[in-house]
Amino acid sequence: MLYVAVRAARRAGDMIARSYDERDTLKITRKSDRDYVTEVDQRAESMIIREIRRHYPDHGVIAEEMDAPTNPDAPMQWYIDPLDGTTNFIHGYPHFAVSIAAFKHGKPMLAVVHDPIRDETFEARNGGGAFLNRRRLRVSDEKRLEHALFASGIPAYRREQMEVFQQRMDRCMRAMDGYRRGGSAALDLAYVAAGRLDAYWEAGLQPWDIAAGYLLVQEAGGLATDIDGAGLDLDRGDVLAANPHLHPKLTRLLKA
Ligand code: IPD
Ligand code: CA
Ligand code: CA
């Protein structure tokens, strides 16, 4: 199954990378305030779903651009974000990814996050470790908040969350060494798994943004929970991912 997911992600990624050079001619539709979709998102999603259905017609599929999930009662559910970082893609900022995960009875089984620009494929299997282009991944060993590099996402189209976000950011920026806003939740999580970031948190995400990255972080020895430190609920969409030294400190800092 992981092989099917990796192949689907890489094929969609190749198409995304080719379209990136012609993005000025693409049709862009506004889904809501500051939330956009391009033909490329839709094309990538169709390619991935076609591939998954060909192998696993009974599985459920929950994907960002589809109207309604298919086979919602199936034990195996796929979560697909065909292009995570659409705003970056549209602006020509080369940082976006394809994100695919499969969950069985609510438990993560496999994950792929593929960055087509850097040709980096992050993958994980439950109990089998996390890998980047087949090299084993490990979260960072940083123990001190003041040395930590963290990422988060700005809830630009969830304005009601802005005040809480700003308070949390203020505390984090004072407590930690540096901040990055990459613009792709899937890559933020993959970077925590790879030890490139020490921590990442964001509120109000969608299940397809975090499903794959969640398993990558866990399999790389990190902790991925909701922002309160409780088990991750994909539908709630809050996430705090960090190495095990920093995770409890951040749970306290974000709550304060
Ligand atoms: C977005 C990205 C971004 C996050 C947004 C997501 P999209 O996904 O993951 O980093 O801050 O909340 O919606 O729309 O580019 O797939
Ligand atoms: Ca997304
Ligand atoms: Ca997307």
Side-chain angles (χ1 to χ4, degrees), residues 225-230 240 246-256:
T225 63
D226 73 11
I227 288 181
D228 300 333
L240 164 60
L246 297 179
H247 190 277
K249 297 182 187 182
L250 282 163
T251 311
R252 284 196 295 277
L253 186 72
L254 290 166
K255 223 182 265 173

Side-chain angles (χ1 to χ4, degrees), residues 58-107:
D58 300 334
H59 290 184
V61 174
I62 300 162
E64 179 168 16
E65 313 305 342
M66 73 193 321
D67 293 333
T70 52
N71 296 335
D73 300 324
M76 191 72 84
Q77 294 290 332
W78 291 81
Y79 292 91
I80 301 163
D81 191 337
L83 176 45
D84 185 55
T86 298
T87 302
N88 286 346
F89 178 87
I90 292 170
H91 285 264
Y93 187 95
H95 189 79
F96 40 81
V98 178
S99 177
I100 303 177
F103 277 53
K104 189 174 186 184
H105 294 296
K107 271 214 200 117

Side-chain angles (χ1 to χ4, degrees), residues 15-23 88-89 92-94 96 117:
M15 185 278 290
I16 292 169
R18 282 195 305 275
S19 311
Y20 183 64
D21 297 327
E22 292 145 29
R23 64 191 172 280
N88 286 346
F89 178 87
Y93 187 95
F96 40 81
I117 298 294

